[in-house]
Amino acid sequence: MQDLRQKVEAELLYDILPFWLGHAVDDEYGGFRGRIANDLTIDPHAAKGVILNARILWTFSKAYSVYGNPIYLGAARRAYEYLIRFFWDKEFGGVYWMVDHRGGPLDTKKRIYAQAFSVYALAEYYHATGDAEILARALRLVEVIESTGHDDGHGGYFETYERDWSLAADQRLSDVDMDEKKSMNTHLHLLEAYATLLRLHEDATVRLRLRELIEIFLDHIIDPANHHFILFFDEEWRRRSDVISFGHDVEGSWLLCEAAEILGDPTLKKRVHAVAVKMAQAVYDEGLDADGGLLYEAGPSGIIDTDKHWWPQAEAVVGFMNAHELSGKPHFLDAAERSWEFIAKFIVDHEDGEWFWRVSKDGVPSNEQDKVGPWKCPYHNSRTCFEVMERIDRKTNLVAAQSAQA
């Protein structure tokens, strides 16, 4: 496993982080570039999305916490200052979805997904700096999420609001999503954000809602018949979709474990662990290709998208490693290692740097998607590297401690 650790750390330090520092900084208009094509062609006038900005903030905050490199702190500070100056709505609270290349508001909708990623990033930046003002901003976002976005009748959160926090007629997160009141995706990343914040700062509201989110996944979002996530729901948690997203399944399997661990309820943690292994096994059985790559989506009658996108590959490494830690079953560890081998061989762009958005079933890269864009960020791939390193170090230290006691 030390060999895997060395490989992921090398990818992080010599490809992912240098790429974003070297190519994505926007010295002309501030912040970071909104779009860079796969061939590294820069669109200087591209709009800038809050998800891209927040994920950059999270990545370099985490990198600084791990390595203490002031260059990483500078990148995090740049992302933070841009977030506060241009995305933060000083009148109504919350963050905008999109600004233009100069920072002017372009899409002022308040998507709970975006608020969640901003909380997540601010919490990690607070961890890196210890600055109380950053924590206060994260808590202000929690306050606005809870006061406007929470469904007190049926639990959970609605998807999208207008700038003034009136409920939007169109609830979609993106053009490929369904126009439904509630989604797995928004709840998953709110769970992730609240878990990270609670790990760093005790807060009664965050603790209460994190428990609720975990229970929503157990009671509504995870299909007990097949151990996959249901992706979309109406207001009362009635199912509205039948597509299976293998990447979200394997990502959610370990994020739920992390959340349950932070919450600290032994009974809930036991339930989550049992479900997480079943979810990872379902992905292993149905979505993992012979070459170690993870297929994208399935429907009721089988696979409907055989492409292999960058982010499910990243999440597969952590999800399968987590399932191995929980179950001790060797095929999960083998799957994690093969997932990384697939990434290194097919997903990493060894010529221009960073990772291709997707490759075909046979590993042929697509040049249609961006290398940098509103959804193409350093979050999934850098986080996988951090997670793998932490998990291997934790196991190594545990073994060493047990040997010392023997």
Side-chain angles (χ1 to χ4, degrees):
M1 291 182 72
Q2 287 300 322
D3 181 56
L4 177 60
R5 191 199 187 284
Q6 291 172 4
K7 289 176 180 177
V8 300
E9 186 166 39
E11 173 60 23
L12 178 69
L13 291 178
Y14 304 118
D15 181 25
I16 298 170
L17 298 179
F19 177 91
W20 288 88
L21 292 170
H23 294 282
V25 174
D26 187 346
D27 289 321
E28 185 175 4
Y29 296 109
F32 295 86
R33 300 288 188 183
R35 180 177 181 271
I36 301 177
N38 199 55
D39 64 1
L40 303 187
T41 300
I42 295 171
D43 179 354
H45 298 149
K48 299 180 177 184
V50 70
I51 300 303
L52 172 63
N53 196 95
R55 288 176 172 181
I56 291 172
L57 174 56
W58 182 90
T59 296
F60 283 98
S61 297
K62 180 70 173 180
Y64 178 72
S65 293
V66 171
Y67 293 109
N69 186 333
I71 295 175
Y72 299 154
L73 181 60
R77 184 182 303 113
R78 184 183 190 90
Y80 172 73
E81 291 174 350
Y82 198 89
L83 176 74
I84 300 308
R85 182 178 179 186
F86 295 111
F87 286 105
W88 197 275
D89 187 341
K90 298 172 180 61
E91 181 177 357
F92 293 104
V95 295
Y96 303 137
W97 183 249
M98 193 79 66
V99 298
D100 65 23
H101 67 285
R102 296 181 185 275
L106 197 61
D107 182 344
T108 60
K109 281 189 170 59
K110 306 291 174 58
R111 292 176 169 88
I112 297 299
Y113 183 95
Q115 315 309 310
F117 264 106
S118 298
V119 171
Y120 185 54
L122 288 169
E124 198 62 47
Y125 189 46
Y126 165 66
H127 179 58
T129 63
D131 187 335
E133 171 58 25
I134 297 163
L135 173 62
R137 286 192 180 275
L139 292 172
R140 285 205 290 275
L141 282 182
V142 170
E143 184 179 352
V144 74
I145 291 169
E146 293 302 323
S147 64
T148 58
H150 185 259
D151 179 0
D152 294 334
H154 302 288
Y157 300 80
F158 298 117
E159 293 289 302
T160 303
Y161 293 81
E162 300 296 344
R163 185 190 172 195
D164 63 359
W165 288 101
S166 58
L167 195 64
D170 186 345
Q171 287 286 295
R172 291 177 300 168
L173 178 64
S174 72
D175 291 342
V176 301
D177 290 310
M178 296 181 70
D179 186 8
E180 294 291 347
K181 289 285 185 67
K182 294 173 181 176
S183 76
M184 171 282 303
N185 204 8
T186 288
H187 286 79
L188 181 66
H189 293 296
L190 194 57
L191 172 139
E192 166 189 57
Y194 279 12
T196 299
L197 183 57
L198 187 63
R199 175 170 54 85
L200 301 171
H201 174 78
E202 181 60 43
D203 182 90
T205 298
V206 174
R207 176 171 290 279
L208 176 68
R209 294 307 188 211
L210 183 60
R211 174 182 293 277
E212 178 185 306
L213 284 162
I214 294 171
E215 291 174 344
I216 283 172
F217 272 89
L218 294 173
D219 297 339
H220 297 295
I221 296 178
I222 300 170
D223 187 337
N226 61 18
H227 312 299
H228 293 294
F229 282 154
I230 301 167
L231 302 186
F232 294 98
F233 304 83
D234 70 5
E235 185 172 344
E236 299 181 16
W237 292 106
R238 289 185 288 253
R239 181 183 193 139
R240 287 291 183 262
S241 63
D242 55 16
V243 171
I244 292 168
S245 172
F246 294 117
H248 284 114
D249 286 345
V250 78
E251 178 186 20
S253 71
W254 75 265
L255 285 177
L256 279 163
C257 291
E258 178 184 68
E261 182 69 32
I262 291 168
L263 188 66
D265 182 328
T267 301
L268 201 58
K269 186 163 68 171
K270 185 176 180 179
R271 288 181 65 196
V272 167
H273 285 183
V275 170
V277 173
K278 292 176 181 177
M279 291 180 68
Q281 186 64 53
V283 173
Y284 181 94
D285 291 339
E286 301 166 32
L288 193 63
D289 207 357
D291 60 7
L294 193 63
L295 304 173
Y296 195 58
E297 287 181 338
S301 56
I303 301 297
I304 58 176
D305 188 340
T306 62
D307 284 345
K308 297 164 183 177
H309 294 228
W310 96 97
W311 68 268
Q313 315 312 316
E315 298 301 338
V317 180
V318 184
F320 288 138
M321 181 174 284
N322 182 69
H324 173 257
E325 292 171 357
L326 295 177
S327 69
K329 295 180 178 179
H331 70 278
F332 284 131
L333 181 58
D334 178 67
E337 292 174 337
R338 288 196 298 121
S339 293
W340 184 261
E341 290 171 3
F342 180 86
I343 288 168
K345 185 175 181 180
F346 295 107
I347 300 295
V348 174
D349 184 345
H350 295 283
E351 181 175 345
D352 291 323
E354 240 278 345
W355 293 16
F356 295 115
W357 181 299
R358 64 181 171 92
V359 300
S360 69
K361 189 178 188 303
D362 297 325
V364 179
S366 168
N367 291 315
E368 298 173 3
Q369 283 83 21
D370 298 332
K371 191 66 67 71
V372 173
W375 294 101
K376 184 64 165 61
C377 320
Y379 148 81
H380 287 285
N381 51 6
S382 71
R383 187 176 66 174
T384 286
C385 297
F386 291 125
E387 279 291 325
V388 169
M389 291 188 296
E390 289 174 11
R391 288 166 186 267
I392 292 176
D393 288 348
R394 189 162 60 238
K395 185 173 180 61
T396 300
N397 294 336
L398 178 62
V399 171
Q402 291 173 341
S403 299
Q405 293 173 358

